[in-house]
Amino acid sequence: MEYDGTSYFGFQIQARRPTIQGSLEEVLARLTGERIRIRYAGRTDSGVHAVGQVISFHARWRHTAADLERAWNALLPVDIAVRHVEPVADQRFHPRYSARSRVYQYTVWTSPWRSPLHSRYSYHEPKPLDVDGMNQAARFLIGEHDFAAFGQPTQGESTVRAVAVAKWWQPEDSARVRLLFTIEANAFLRRMVRSVVGTLLEVGKGFRPVDGVAEVLAARDRRLAAPPAPAGGLCLMEVKY
Amino acid sequence: MEYDGTSYFGFQIQARRPTIQGSLEEVLARLTGERIRIRYAGRTDSGVHAVGQVISFHARWRHTAADLERAWNALLPVDIAVRHVEPVADQRFHPRYSARSRVYQYTVWTSPWRSPLHSRYSYHEPKPLDVDGMNQAARFLIGEHDFAAFGQPTQGESTVRAVAVAKWWQPEDSARVRLLFTIEANAFLRRMVRSVVGTLLEVGKGFRPVDGVAEVLAARDRRLAAPPAPAGGLCLMEVKY
């Protein structure tokens, strides 16, 4: 799935509020004539985008997967799209529990002026950022750690997560105004990516020392991390199986 | 100026409808205490975007140009921004009449699925396009021609325009799904770029022969050109002086 989360109260269905799951299930019900509950890989927050969300469901459907893909896309709102539909061979497949890792990307727009054509999908930071320092700080996050300082478990579960990649980088083409943060982990706590980004941006602005991030991590205290960076900059890029 | 034109009825001010000019003048009036009429380089249509619109005006302002830039951006809606403010030395400067040329870009998104994260700023065409044929056809437009078939003059003036650049190209970075059309001319007729794009897309889909574009141009008949391509794909990139 790909979606622009700007107009939605997050992925997970809620009563009387627009959600991605709500839109998907509503259209599925119209197409199949049954109420279908979908399963999903990641519960993105209000305003967060995705280009690689994965969902699954059981449905009676007499036509091809390509027919379902076309019909679904024709009825979904313009800010939600199905990229690909395929039948699942393995009945044990679950988009969340079968996933090995998730990749998120956070976009910071660093031009002196704010950019209306990029404001939906990035966070504007006109102050100069010490990207080397932010990358040094990000390295403390790599590996298996207790991330209690950076987020909440969705239920009463463990706050230990294994981060494989955490790096800031600038694509060649963007006249050096687009600064991206790519983070990959086996799973994430709620708000974890945005809390990490908020904290690393404070390092980049010189408000925190580079090794302050190691201290926040060790203290496991949410009050020591920065507030989450705004949702619009965050995008779920890929779920790996 | 940079703006996302999605929510506006074009640049030019209209009664009781949101326009870019209306927003700019409203904020200028709040900042300066006077009603100021701005001049502009290009009257972009409803839904068309800009990253390089140029405007000018006369105002009494006791502070610096940078102060005006900051204050204006602070009060403008999120989808409009001032990139740079500077005092004009030459009193004869007019953003429209002093311009030597304008550069527009049209974005076609060519992935098989529609992309919610790109739908505001591109037109989705999932069918395969003959880009070489579109470029051969575009070459007929280069030079000084009567473009009456492709647009209307803003007043009763001439429909002759001089096109310097008209080419389709794909940026390296975009996994070959982003197809861009860049066109530069001394000036444009209303709807001209979108009518040209609509017509060239028909060549790309094999609905028109490559040299059909030369015939449309020679006939000077709007009924022979294709309908204008959708506004969201179009962006005013630069005005040259």
Side-chain angles (χ1 to χ4, degrees):
Chain A
M1 308 286 321
E2 173 172 335
Y3 49 83
D4 176 333
T6 310
S7 309
Y8 296 90
F9 286 85
F11 189 91
Q12 194 180 39
I13 201 160
Q14 296 181 38
R16 287 179 296 279
R17 280 180 153 183
T19 63
I20 308 292
Q21 186 181 4
S23 295
L24 292 171
E25 293 185 355
E26 185 198 316
V27 175
L28 260 190
R30 285 167 66 189
L31 291 171
T32 63
E34 17 168 23
R35 283 183 67 124
I36 291 168
R37 179 95 321 169
I38 63 172
R39 294 162 162 182
Y40 47 88
R43 187 172 68 180
T44 52
D45 280 343
S46 185
V48 173
H49 317 293
V51 295
Q53 175 73 282
V54 178
I55 65 171
S56 76
F57 53 90
H58 292 272
R60 281 185 287 273
W61 179 255
R62 291 167 171 276
H63 314 285
T64 67
D67 289 335
L68 179 58
E69 187 180 312
R70 240 187 326 268
W72 213 354
N73 277 323
L75 296 179
L76 281 169
V78 71
D79 45 13
I80 305 179
V82 177
R83 291 182 57 160
H84 184 60
V85 176
E86 64 180 47
V88 179
D90 184 348
Q91 289 294 313
R92 291 164 305 179
F93 175 81
H94 188 294
R96 181 173 174 200
Y97 302 119
S98 306
R100 282 191 301 111
S101 72
R102 283 94 173 151
V103 182
Y104 277 90
Q105 184 171 283
Y106 196 92
T107 304
V108 179
W109 198 258
T110 65
S111 64
W113 58 86
R114 61 182 175 75
S115 170
L117 296 200
H118 297 94
S119 63
R120 288 173 86 88
Y121 308 118
S122 61
Y123 168 62
H124 181 223
E125 179 49 73
K127 296 190 199 76
L129 293 169
D130 170 13
V131 178
D132 283 343
M134 289 157 72
N135 265 326
Q136 285 170 42
R139 252 173 252 134
F140 289 112
L141 305 171
I142 295 172
E144 192 171 275
H145 302 285
D146 185 337
F147 284 93
F150 292 101
Q152 294 162 317
T154 41
Q155 283 142 25
E157 69 214 53
S158 159
T159 48
V160 174
R161 297 290 184 273
V163 171
V165 176
K167 66 170 180 213
W168 294 89
W169 58 287
Q170 288 188 298
E172 284 297 324
D173 64 306
S174 61
R176 307 223 137 237
V177 292
R178 195 191 300 268
L179 176 64
L180 305 174
F181 179 61
T182 298
I183 185 164
E184 177 174 355
N186 61 343
F188 290 91
L189 301 170
R190 287 205 70 190
R191 304 275 160 84
M192 178 170 153
V193 182
R194 290 161 54 205
S195 294
V196 161
V197 168
T199 306
L200 294 177
L201 284 172
E202 291 192 352
V203 172
K205 287 184 272 190
F207 298 162
R208 275 173 199 265
V210 163
D211 54 9
V213 172
E215 286 170 34
V216 174
L217 201 58
R220 299 171 198 174
D221 182 346
R222 289 210 69 192
R223 290 166 301 178
L224 299 184
L234 187 59
C235 188
L236 172 55
M237 302 301 285
E238 190 183 353
V239 183
K240 296 184 181 175
Y241 293 94
Chain B
M1 309 284 321
E2 173 173 334
Y3 49 83
D4 177 332
T6 310
S7 309
Y8 296 90
F9 286 85
F11 189 91
Q12 193 180 38
I13 201 159
Q14 297 181 38
R16 289 179 295 279
R17 282 180 151 182
T19 62
I20 308 293
Q21 186 181 5
S23 295
L24 291 172
E25 292 185 355
E26 185 197 316
V27 175
L28 260 190
R30 286 167 66 190
L31 290 171
T32 63
E34 16 168 23
R35 284 182 69 125
I36 291 168
R37 180 96 318 173
I38 62 172
R39 293 162 163 183
Y40 47 90
R43 187 172 68 179
T44 53
D45 279 343
S46 186
V48 173
H49 317 292
V51 297
Q53 175 72 282
V54 177
I55 64 171
S56 75
F57 53 90
H58 291 271
R60 280 185 287 273
W61 181 256
R62 293 167 168 277
H63 314 286
T64 67
D67 289 335
L68 178 58
E69 184 181 314
R70 241 188 325 270
W72 212 355
N73 276 323
L75 295 180
L76 281 169
V78 71
D79 44 13
I80 306 178
V82 177
R83 291 182 59 159
H84 185 60
V85 176
E86 64 180 47
V88 180
D90 184 350
Q91 289 293 315
R92 291 164 305 178
F93 175 81
H94 188 293
R96 182 172 173 200
Y97 302 118
S98 306
R100 281 192 300 113
S101 73
R102 285 92 173 150
V103 182
Y104 277 89
Q105 184 171 283
Y106 196 92
T107 304
V108 179
W109 197 257
T110 65
S111 65
W113 60 86
R114 61 183 174 77
S115 170
L117 295 201
H118 297 93
S119 62
R120 288 172 85 87
Y121 309 117
S122 61
Y123 168 63
H124 180 224
E125 179 49 74
K127 296 189 198 78
L129 294 169
D130 170 13
V131 178
D132 284 342
M134 288 157 71
N135 265 327
Q136 285 171 43
R139 253 172 252 134
F140 288 111
L141 305 171
I142 295 173
E144 192 171 273
H145 302 285
D146 186 337
F147 285 93
F150 293 103
Q152 295 161 318
T154 42
Q155 284 141 23
E157 68 213 56
S158 157
T159 47
V160 173
R161 297 291 184 272
V163 171
V165 176
K167 65 170 183 214
W168 293 89
W169 58 286
Q170 289 189 297
E172 284 298 324
D173 62 305
S174 60
R176 306 223 138 238
V177 292
R178 195 191 301 267
L179 175 63
L180 305 174
F181 179 62
T182 298
I183 186 165
E184 177 174 355
N186 61 342
F188 289 93
L189 302 170
R190 287 206 71 189
R191 303 275 161 83
M192 177 170 153
V193 181
R194 290 160 55 205
S195 294
V196 162
V197 168
T199 305
L200 294 177
L201 284 172
E202 291 192 353
V203 172
K205 287 185 272 191
F207 298 162
R208 270 174 203 264
V210 163
D211 54 11
V213 172
E215 286 170 33
V216 174
L217 201 58
R220 299 171 199 176
D221 182 346
R222 290 211 69 193
R223 291 168 299 178
L224 299 184
L234 187 58
C235 188
L236 171 56
M237 301 302 284
E238 190 184 353
V239 183
K240 297 185 181 174
Y241 293 94

